C-alpha cells in the first residue's frame, strides 16, 4: 500500500472530497467515452466513424462527444465535402492527448489480466526505433516507483 503522511495518515479523519481521480472519472469514466477517445487516438475525426467504430447509437455518440468537447479533450473543427453542408469533425486537444498514458495503461492492464493465453491483441511500438511501448510510474529523477514506494500527502496550497 502507499504511505499516507500528514493529515492523510489518519484515514478516518478525512474524506477525499477533492479527489482528482473522481473528477477525471466524471469526465471519461464511461465505456463509450474511453472508446471514443481510443478512436480519436487512432485518428478518427468524423462523427459517423466514431459511432460506427465504437458500436454505439448516434444519440450516445452525440452526447459523449459533446461531453468530451465541453470537458476540453476534443475540439470541434468545421469541414465541408464538395457539394455538402458544413459539418464538424473532432480533433484531439492537448488535454485529450495527455490522456494517452491512461488509455495505454488500461490497455496494458487488460493485456496482462484479461486476455488469457491469447496474449495482447495489439502490438504498440515506438515508430522511430521499433521498441515496444511501456507505461510506468516514475519519479522526476527517473526511478521506477512501486506502490509500496509511493508517499501521498496533502499538496502545499498554491498562491
Amino acid at each position: 500500500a502507499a504511505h499516507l503522511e500528514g493529515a492523510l495518515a489518519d484515514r478516518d479523519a478525512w474524506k477525499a472530497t477533492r479527489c482528482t481521480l473522481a473528477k477525471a472519472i466524471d469526465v471519461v469514466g464511461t465505456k463509450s467515452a474511453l472508446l471514443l477517445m481510443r478512436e480519436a487516438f487512432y485518428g478518427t475525426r468524423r462523427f459517423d466513424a466514431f459511432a460506427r467504430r465504437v458500436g454505439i447509437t448516434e444519440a450516445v455518440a452525440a452526447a459523449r462527444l459533446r461531453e468530451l468537447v465541453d470537458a476540453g479533450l476534443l475540439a470541434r473543427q468545421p469541414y465541408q465535402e464538395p457539394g455538402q453542408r458544413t459539418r464538424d469533425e473532432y480533433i484531439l486537444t492537448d488535454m485529450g492527448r495527455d490522456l494517452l498514458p491512461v488509455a495505454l495503461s488500461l490497455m496494458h492492464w487488460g493485456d496482462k489480466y484479461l486476455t488469457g493465453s491469447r496474449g495482447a491483441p495489439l502490438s504498440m511500438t515506438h515508430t522511430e526505433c521499433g521498441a515496444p511501448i511501456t507505461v510506468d510510474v516514475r519519479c522526476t529523477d527517473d526511478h521506477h516507483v512501486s506502490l509500496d514506494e509511493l508517499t501521498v500527502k496533502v499538496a502545499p496550497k498554491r498562491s
Side-chain angles (χ1 to χ4, degrees):
H3 303 278
L4 302 180
E5 288 187 352
L8 301 180
D10 180 2
R11 297 216 41 220
D12 291 330
W14 59 273
K15 292 185 179 172
T17 56
R18 294 178 34 217
C19 176
T20 52
L21 177 59
K23 290 178 182 184
I25 290 170
D26 285 344
V27 174
V28 293
T30 65
K31 179 179 179 180
S32 56
L34 282 171
L35 294 179
L36 288 166
M37 290 304 297
R38 175 199 66 195
E39 290 307 313
F41 295 139
Y42 289 167
T44 301
R45 297 176 92 159
R46 307 257 169 107
F47 175 84
D48 56 337
F50 276 112
R52 183 181 71 254
R53 294 198 40 80
V54 173
I56 55 179
T57 66
E58 289 188 359
V60 171
R64 291 295 169 270
L65 286 167
R66 187 176 324 106
E67 291 167 1
L68 293 169
V69 167
D70 290 347
L73 282 82
L74 297 173
R76 285 186 184 94
Q77 179 176 300
Y79 75 94
Q80 186 173 17
E81 298 286 345
Q84 298 291 318
R85 67 179 175 87
T86 300
R87 295 182 161 184
D88 287 331
E89 60 184 4
Y90 298 87
I91 309 299
L92 279 166
T93 63
D94 289 342
M95 184 182 184
R97 280 192 273 311
D98 285 347
L99 191 65
L100 179 62
V102 175
L104 290 176
S105 292
L106 282 170
M107 290 173 75
H108 285 220
W109 181 84
D111 291 346
K112 183 174 181 177
Y113 294 107
L114 305 177
T115 60
S117 61
R118 295 183 315 263
L122 301 175
S123 169
M124 295 192 183
T125 57
H126 182 202
T127 301
E128 289 187 22
C129 72
I133 297 297
T134 63
V135 182
D136 199 8
V137 178
R138 296 194 164 277
C139 70
T140 57
D141 286 339
D142 204 30
H143 302 119
H144 169 80
V145 179
S146 64
L147 180 58
D148 62 341
E149 297 172 316
L150 177 67
T151 297
V152 182
K153 57 187 170 187
V154 176
K157 293 197 186 241
R158 290 195 260 175
S159 46

